[in-house]
Amino acid sequence: MNNSTPIFKTWVPEWLIRLSILFLLLASVLLFALSTADGSAAAGYYGMAPADVQFSLLIFYAAIASFAGVERRFFERIVTKDYLLICILLEILIAYACYHTREIWLVFTFRFLQGLVNCGISSICLNLLFGRLKSEDSREIGYTIFYGMILCVSPVTALFAAPLVENFEYNTLYKAIIFCFLPSAALLFLILNRVRVLKNKPLYQLDWASFFLFVLMLLLIAYVLVYGQQMDWLEEPIIVYSILGILLLFIASILRQRSMKRPTVNLEVFKYRNFSIGIFFLVILYLIRGAFGLTTTYFITVLGMDTLHANELMIYNIVGIIVGSFVAIRFLIKQKLLRVLWISGFALLMVFFLMMCFLFTSEADAETFIAPLFLQGLGAGMVMSPIVMFIVSSVPLSMGQSAASVGVFVRFSAFCLSIALVNFFQLYFRGVHTNIMGRSLSLLDIELPERLRMYQSALAGRGMLKDEAAKVATGLLSKSVQKQAFLQFCVNYYELIALLCLVTMVLIALQPVISRTIINVKDKRPAAAGF
């Protein structure tokens, strides 16, 4: 960085600098979950299956995670202002291309390209933002704000998308995201001086081989965990070949990093005990967090809420995340009772899942879920950033980039695994409960003919012919059975997640090293793939 010229123009107030960076960072965060903001609308518009919608999100994530190691070299070589302009122009062009396409393979391609460019934008924002945070306390606050924002990405994106999807076609979201990028990017470009934020290094000997190995492995992991369930796992040859490909790519990646003089990922990070402990609890947190999406699905499919109102309820979850993040900051600044903070956070998450087990019913008032949603956000906010900072503090500064790369891989894999577990247990539990209820329903049951007559009378009362009413009544009964099976699945799965929270609390209690660890994030910054 040029010491004679400041990064930002001298006339710009500090609050405007930070605000412009945060707004651009928020736009890049919104882009992450845009493809799944309304899964049913996306599936209907593109003619996708629900699994395709999930895969489009994971393609974006895989691009960010794999490109993070290579991207830093571009950031170091190109002047920051020019790099920002290149990234923004590319992001807008790709979003415009997404707006005009309906081909599934093109959607996947453009989402991958969006991920690559988004990695650059996130890197610029985080380096600029953390460059303004000089004291240790402000760094901790910066980490907490950033990862709090990551926790809010799904409900915030859904709130952003819901009114647009209700009133326009789904592709309008990509036009809207362009207008989110433009004002903040233009403002940031205007107030930046033409200097380098990072030390200038020549752009040669890029480790493209590691990048390609990494991205292929991540895409195969996403493919197996998303499509494996519907293909009956090992019954399908392509799943078997994909799993073999993952193993071969994983071994090849490790051998390559070990053989390199300056590896992209230094595997020595695993020699630090605290690093492994933090990674383990981060995986658990992502598995727990992945189960939360069932709550929104329940609001829409069972209670019949429209997408907008279902996501408006998530505002209480966002408030909980903000409060939880504030509590985490106070604990981190005081540098003590970290283990108490983690146990308290996971305890609140366990309370949420147990409460929902009793609240999953066919009919309920929206107000009933305000307290549980707040508690879930409170618990997640209390543990997310402390776990990340625990991981960051566990390795020397020289290994920070390697630790970030490993963390990105683990977060991506845990995120994919959470989707796979939900899909697997949904099929398993719904099948079990549907069979049980199907066997219990027979013409000998006293209530069944009465229920069918009730449906027929209601339909006939609305002007439907008797024969048609009889057919539709049978369909309504089948739909009722499916709804009850889904409710039972939600209860069973949330019971498992509550048990996982309890086991996690016990494991944290058995690790006194957590409270003895000093959180030190001085001169360290979160990875661009912080998602």
Side-chain angles (χ1 to χ4, degrees), residues 35 42-57 59 97-98 100-112 174 227:
S35 60
Y45 182 78
Y46 294 111
M48 292 179 171
D52 295 328
V53 178
Q54 293 177 339
F55 190 60
S56 68
L57 170 65
I59 285 176
C98 288
H100 283 286
T101 186
R102 297 187 73 156
E103 297 291 332
I104 296 177
W105 70 273
L106 277 176
V107 172
F108 288 164
T109 303
F110 289 141
R111 284 294 287 173
F112 181 80
Y174 289 104
Y227 293 103

Side-chain angles (χ1 to χ4, degrees), residues 7 15 27 151 153 222 232 238 258 285 305 319 402 454:
I7 298 175
W15 64 267
L151 286 174
V153 60
D232 292 329
I238 191 171
R258 286 184 176 276
L285 177 61
M305 294 184 186
V319 173
S402 296
M454 182 182 69

Side-chain angles (χ1 to χ4, degrees), residues 2 75 117 382:
N2 190 344
F75 196 3
V117 180
M382 288 171 64

